[in-house]
Amino acid sequence: RLAAPICWALALFAVVCHAAAMVWPLRWLPRVQLALVLLELFFAAAGGVEPRPAPEITVELLRSATANGGGSAASTRPTKMMLDASGIKFEPRALSLKGQRTCVPRWDEVEITNVGDKPITLEGVSSDHSMFHPSLIKAGTLQRLESTQIQILFLTQAVGTFEGLILVYTNMGAIPYTVKATTGDNPYKVEPIVGAKVVVGERFNPAISVYNPHDANLHVREVFTTEGFLHLSLPDKPVDAGAGRQQIGSRGGTDAATASVWTIQPRQQKTIIHLSFTSHVTGKFRGFVHLKTDKEDLLVPVEVMVTKGGVHVTPEIVDFQTLVSPAQSRSMWLTLTNLNPQPIELLSLYDPKQDQNLQISGFDQKGINVVPGATVRFAKVTYHGGDQGFMQGKLQLIINDTDAVSATLDIPYKARVLYGSLGFMNDKTKFQSTPGRVTSTMRSIMISNNFSVPILIHTARIDDPSFQISHFTPNSLLQPGDAVSLMHVEFTSNGTSALYTRDLELSTNVTAMKIPLQVYHGKLHCQVEHGDFKECSASDLSLEMGTISVGESRRKNLNITNLNPVNVTLESIAFTHSSVSLFMEGVWNPQGEQVRGPRPVPRSLQSKRVLTLPPGHRLALAVEVQASEAGTVGASVTINTRRKESILLAVRYESVLGSLSFLPAKLRFEASFPGRIQSRVIAARSTFERPLVINAVRSSDPRIIPELITRSLNPLARTEIAHIRYDPSKSAAPEDGSLPQSDEVEWDIPLTEEMVERWSRRQQMWDELGTKGQTDIEAILSFDTSIVRGASLTVRAFLTKPSIVRESTLTFDLTQVGTSVSQMLLVHNPSDTSLAVQLVFPLCEASPSELNNSCDVGFRLAEEAQAAFYVKPHSDLHIGPIVFEPKQHNTYNTTLYVRNNLTMLHPVRLSGVGGSGRLVFRDGALDFNLTASDLGGGLALDDDFAPKQRVAVAKSFTALNDCELPVEVKSFDINGVPGCSGFGFEIHDCKPFTVAPHESVELQVSFTPNFAASRWEQRLRLHTRSGVLAVPLRAFVPPELLPQLADRSPFVGEGEDSARKVITAISVGLCAVMLIVVVGDIMKVYRGTSEAGGCRDGSAGVSMLTWPSINALAPATWGAGVRREQQVLGQQRASRRERRDDQEAQQGHRHEVDHEAQQPLQQRPGQPRQPLAAAPSVGPGPG
C-alpha cells in the first residue's frame, strides 16, 4: 500500500529535479535523476506499479547533457588542450561502432583511468558531432589508478560513416577521444523526421510508418513522446491537442482499435501514428518519438525549423574556407526554398563587387520558377585562389517581388586565401610489412611550416589500428619556417603481405592536411600475357608454349610491375635449358611512357644488378624458346631481387619434325578504334608429310576475329586459310576497364554537366588504358590441327582515340564590336559507318528551352547550325556556321562540343577577340579661334557697293585611329544636315575614306560666319560601319573684334552681293519710271482743268485712279470700286442739273438746250474719262 504513494512522490521529486536541472546546470542533478528512476523501477517491481518506460532515460540524459558538462560543437567551453595526456588512459583506446542502424539508439561506456602521478579533476564532456551524446557518470577528482565511465549515446539520422571527437574537460585541459560509427538503414524502414521547414502558424503533420521484416506479426506496444510541442494521434483519430508527455498504448495491452492499427502483417508496411506540430514562434525544435515493439525499440528524431515565411537561401553564408594555392578552388551549390503562398521567379544572380575570382555557373538567365513550398538548387558558385587575404562580399539574388527591398536577397560569402603548405619528409612515411613476421617500425614525422602565418595543429589521427601516434602535443604551434618533429608514428605489421596507404590527418587553424603513410611488402607483381595481375611469388607462372616444330621459335610475354613506393632491384637471372632465352621489350613509367628500349638479356651476367625498377614502373619481358630436336622440354627461368624475392618461370613445350608456318609470320593491324573494322587474309604452309586438317581456331582477344576459309592443307603448298578481322568495338572482359562505348548518344536535349562528366570519365578510361599498356593489343591465334595442337600466330593491333575534328581550336580574328563573323567547322568521319554530329554548348551556358547559347557572350550557333548533320564514311563535311558577335572589347573563350555517335562528344575550343576602330582628335573638338588677321587686319573699303573679301578661315585637323581595327567613314553630316557643309562650316575633300589601325588622317575644314557672333557651335557627325562619331565644331571670336566683323564681313557671298545690287538698281529704275508717269498724268489733269475754266464743280473730288495711266495699272477690283463711287456722284450731279434745267426752261432758253442736246457728246483730248454710268454734263463751257 505504501509502495505506490512513495513511487509517485519520488516521481514528482524527479520532475522537480529535472526542472531544476534545466535552470541550474549542476553536475549532480543527472545522477539524482538516474537514481530516482532506478528507485522508481525498484518500487514498481516490488509493488506492481507500472514502471516508467526505459527509453525516457535516454531522453532525460540527452536533455541533461549540457547540465552534466556535456554538449555539442556549439559548447562555449574553452578548448585549451592538455599538453601531456599520457596520465589518462581510455579503455577502449578508440570507440568504433559498426553495424549500427538509423533510429536505433545505442549506448556504450568508455572507462577513464588516471595512470599518472597526480590527481586529475574531471569537469565535464562534450562532443563535436550531433550524433554522439556523451555523459559523464562521475564528475570529480580521480586519484591515481582510480576510474570512472563516460556513457556515449549514438543516435544516427543518416546512413554513412561518422567520426567525431569527445572532449573530456579536466583541470589541466581538454583531452580528445575519437569515436567512429558506421550505420545502415534499419529493417523497419523508419526514417528520421529532420530538415522540415514550416511557417509560423502552419500545421505540420508527418506520419510514421513501420515495416515488418519478420515472418510473424509485428506488434507495436507503445508510442509516446515527452516533448510538449509534439502531439500524437492514431491514423483514424483527430489530433490530441494536449501537452506534455503523450502516450498511446501501454505495457499491459492495447484497446481493440489500437491493436488493429499496430498489428503489422509480415512483409507489410503500415502507418501507425501521426504527429502534429504547430508553433507561433520561430526557432528550431528538436524532440523524439519512442516506438516500443515486441521485437525492438526505436527512437525517431524530430527536428523542425519554424520561420516567418518568405524565401530562404541555403547556405545562409557561403564559406569557401581556406584556399592554399592559386590552382585550388572550392565550389558550393545554392538552394532556395519558397515558403510564400504564391510562386516566385528567380531573375538574376550577380556579384556587385565583380570579384574576378568568384564564378557563378548553372544559373538560368531566362528565369527560374519556384512553386510554393518547393526547394530548388539554382546556382553553383566557385571561388578560385587569387590575392592572399580574407575575402568577403555578397551575392545579390533578384526575384519578381513588387517590393524593391524584398525583391533583392543578399547572400554573404567569404573566403581566406593563404598560400603555403605543410612539408614533410617523404622517406619517413614508408613502412615495410614483412610477410611471416610481426614487426614494429617507429618513424619520427617532421613537419615544416611553409605558410607565412603561424600554424596551430589541433589534432592528429590515423584511421588504422596498425598505426599508433605518440609524442604528439595537441594545439602545437609552428611559426613560419619552423621544422619540428611533431610526433612519432609506430606501425605494427601482422605478418601478412600488405600493400596499402593510410592518411595521417592533421587538423589546423588554416586547413586540413593529409600525409600519406604507405605500407609495402617489397614484392613485384606479374602478369603472363593477358592473365591475372598478382604477386609474382604467389603466382603459378607457367608458360605453356604448346607444340612446335623442330627449329621453330615461340615467344610469350611477361609484365613485371613494381607497385611498392620504393625501388626494387633485379639482382640475378638464371636459366636451366639452353633453348630458353629472355628479352627485355622495354620499361614504362606510370604515365604509360616508355623510358627504356628493348634489348636482349645475356645468359651469363657479370653484374649483380640487372635492372632497378622504380615505383610504379612496368618491365615487359619476352620468354622465347627454340626447339633444336624433337621431344618434350621442361625448363625454368629464375629472377631474384635484392629484397629476397624469387620469381620462377616454368617453361614447357613439345617439338616435332615438320612445321606449320603462317604467311605473314606476324600479322599487324593499323591503329583503330570502335567503329572502324580492318580485315586481313592469312595463308599457311605445312612441311609435314601428310595433309593437315584444321580442326579449330581460337583467338585470345575478342577484338581479333578469325573466320576460316578452308580446313585442309596439302603438304608444301601455300594455302589461304582464314580472314582475320580487327574490330575494336568488341570489348574485352568487363574487368579490364571496358573500352568506352559510343552508342549512348542523346540527341536534341540539353548538354548537361552530368553528360560532360560522363564523357570525361570515358576519356579518363582511354588514358588509363594507355597507362596500363592496354592500347597495344597482342593476340594469339591458336590453330588446332590433326598433327599439331596450338600452332600460334601472333597478331598485333593498336587502339587509338578517334578524332572527328581536324582542328581542336577555332580561332576568330580580331572582330569589330557590334558586328559578327562566322566560320564553318570541318568534321572528318574516320569510321566505316555514317557519322551523325550536332553542335551544342553546355547547359550551364543556356536555358533548357534554348540549347545553343554560350555562357561567354559573343558565341552562338546560327539557326541552321543547330540541326544534326550526317557525314559519309571516310569523308569530310563543313558544318555551321558558328557566329562570333563581340559586344565589348574583350577576349572571348568557350568550349563548343560536337555531339556524335562515335566518340559521344568532342570538344572544340572557341576563341576570339572583340575590338574596334576609333578616331580620336587631339583636342576632342574642331575649334576655330578667329583673330584680327583672319578679318583682314582692319582694312575696309568706304564704298558700300564695292566688292568685299569674304571672311573664311580654313584649318587642318588630324584624327588618329588608336584601336586595332580600321575605321571606314562612309558619310558626313553637320547637326543632322546631310552633306559636307552647313551652318557656316564646310568639309573639304568630302568623300568616304578608311583609316588603318594606329594611322591618322587629315581633315580640311573651313568656317565662314554668316552673322556677327562671338561663338558658333555645331556637331560634325562621321558615319562609320561601327556607328556614328560626333565631334564638336566650334568657332570663337573675341568680343573686341565683333564690330570689325560686323563692318568688315559681307555676310552674304560676293555672288549674292552682286545680285543684291542688280535688284536694287532695277527697283530704283522702276520707281523712277512710275514717278515720271504719275507726274505726267498730274500735268495732263491740271491742263484739262484749266481749259474747263471752272465749269466743273470744285467740290467734286479727283481720284487718282481715274487717271488713264494709273487706272490701266490698277487691279480690276480697284476699278470696280471707283466706278461705283463715280456712279453715285454722277446721280447727285444729274439731280442738280435737272433743277437748273427747270429754271432755264422757265427763262425761255429751251432752244439752246435743245440745240445742246442735239450735239454729240465728244471727249476732248486729254480730258479724264468719265464713268459710263455718269450723266452727261449740261453746264456751260466749250465742248
Side-chain angles (χ1 to χ4, degrees), residues 203-273:
R203 184 175 295 276
F204 178 56
N205 294 105
I208 297 179
S209 301
V210 177
Y211 173 77
N212 181 8
H214 307 290
D215 296 330
N217 289 345
L218 176 67
H219 300 282
V220 179
R221 299 299 186 188
E222 186 179 15
V223 180
F224 68 91
T225 178
T226 57
E227 312 301 337
F229 56 85
L230 292 178
H231 309 291
L232 306 177
S233 68
L234 293 173
D236 55 349
K237 291 186 177 182
V239 176
D240 184 5
R245 184 182 191 274
Q246 298 186 56
Q247 176 178 347
I248 300 178
S250 65
R251 185 178 301 272
T254 59
D255 56 21
T258 305
S260 63
V261 173
W262 288 356
T263 299
I264 306 173
Q265 300 295 325
R267 315 299 177 184
Q268 299 294 322
Q269 188 170 4
K270 182 181 289 188
T271 299
I272 62 169
I273 205 73

Side-chain angles (χ1 to χ4, degrees), residues 600-733:
V601 178
R603 300 183 62 84
S604 59
L605 301 173
Q606 304 296 329
S607 173
K608 287 190 175 182
R609 190 179 75 172
V610 178
L611 177 70
T612 296
L613 204 58
H617 284 57
R618 175 175 61 91
L619 169 65
L621 296 176
V623 180
E624 182 181 83
V625 296
Q626 184 161 5
S628 58
E629 58 184 2
T632 301
V633 176
S636 64
V637 179
T638 304
I639 303 175
N640 297 312
T641 70
R642 189 166 294 177
R643 295 185 178 273
K644 310 304 180 184
E645 181 185 11
S646 291
I647 303 173
L648 180 63
L649 305 178
V651 182
R652 185 182 180 279
Y653 66 92
E654 181 182 1
S655 60
V656 294
L657 292 174
S659 65
L660 176 65
S661 58
F662 298 98
L663 302 174
K666 277 189 177 182
L667 187 61
R668 182 184 181 93
F669 287 97
E670 298 177 358
S672 188
F673 50 84
R676 182 186 178 192
I677 301 175
Q678 301 181 51
S679 179
R680 299 285 188 276
V681 177
I682 61 170
R685 183 174 183 273
S686 171
T687 60
F688 294 100
E689 296 180 353
R690 56 184 179 180
L692 255 65
V693 177
I694 303 175
N695 298 322
V697 57
R698 301 182 304 276
S699 173
S700 63
D701 194 296
R703 293 163 290 192
I704 306 299
I705 305 170
E707 294 179 357
L708 287 175
I709 300 176
T710 183
R711 292 182 176 273
S712 178
L713 279 77
N714 295 321
L716 303 177
R718 181 184 182 277
T719 307
E720 293 184 351
I721 60 172
H723 283 291
I724 310 298
R725 290 191 299 116
Y726 170 39
D727 187 356
S729 64
K730 306 296 183 181
S731 61

Side-chain angles (χ1 to χ4, degrees), residues 424-433 443 467 491 497-502 516-525 561-569 590 612-617 643:
F424 62 94
M425 299 180 68
N426 191 44
D427 59 341
K428 298 296 184 182
T429 60
K430 300 179 178 64
F431 301 86
Q432 184 171 5
S433 174
R443 294 275 193 271
F467 289 93
F491 170 72
S497 179
L499 183 65
Y500 63 89
T501 300
R502 291 291 182 267
L517 304 179
Q518 297 174 296
V519 178
Y520 67 96
H521 47 53
K523 296 182 178 181
L524 298 173
H525 282 68
T561 306
N562 178 19
L563 299 180
N564 298 278
V566 296
N567 294 341
V568 175
T569 301
T612 296
L613 204 58
H617 284 57
R643 295 185 178 273

Side-chain angles (χ1 to χ4, degrees), residues 1103-1168:
S1103 175
M1104 187 176 290
L1105 293 177
T1106 62
W1107 299 339
S1109 300
I1110 300 300
N1111 194 27
L1113 298 176
T1117 56
W1118 290 10
V1122 172
R1123 293 187 181 96
R1124 285 195 299 269
E1125 181 181 359
Q1126 291 178 352
Q1127 184 177 4
V1128 175
L1129 294 177
Q1131 293 174 355
Q1132 293 176 357
R1133 295 188 186 102
S1135 61
R1136 288 195 298 266
R1137 288 169 184 164
E1138 290 176 355
R1139 287 194 299 268
R1140 287 196 299 268
D1141 290 342
D1142 292 340
Q1143 292 175 2
E1144 291 176 358
Q1146 293 176 2
Q1147 295 175 6
H1149 297 290
R1150 171 70 63 185
H1151 61 280
E1152 296 181 5
V1153 175
D1154 293 337
H1155 179 76
E1156 290 284 339
Q1158 295 175 1
Q1159 297 294 325
L1161 181 61
Q1162 297 181 357
Q1163 184 177 356
R1164 295 184 179 182
Q1167 183 178 359

Side-chain angles (χ1 to χ4, degrees), residues 577-622:
H577 199 276
S578 61
S579 64
V580 180
S581 303
L582 201 60
F583 294 88
M584 186 178 76
E585 299 286 346
V587 178
W588 283 262
N589 63 12
Q591 288 74 37
E593 301 171 350
Q594 187 172 2
V595 295
R596 296 192 64 172
R599 63 184 176 91
V601 178
R603 300 183 62 84
S604 59
L605 301 173
Q606 304 296 329
S607 173
K608 287 190 175 182
R609 190 179 75 172
V610 178
L611 177 70
T612 296
L613 204 58
H617 284 57
R618 175 175 61 91
L619 169 65
L621 296 176

Side-chain angles (χ1 to χ4, degrees), residues 54 92 148 156 350 358 389 392 414 505 583 604 721 898 923 933 949 954 966 1038 1050:
T148 188
T156 179
Y350 65 97
L358 183 70
Q392 59 183 0
K414 61 180 181 179
E505 301 178 11
F583 294 88
S604 59
I721 60 172
V898 183
D923 298 326
S933 61
Q949 294 294 328

Side-chain angles (χ1 to χ4, degrees), residues 147 195 383 508 930 936 1016 1145:
S147 301
Y383 202 89
T508 73
L930 275 68
W1016 289 263

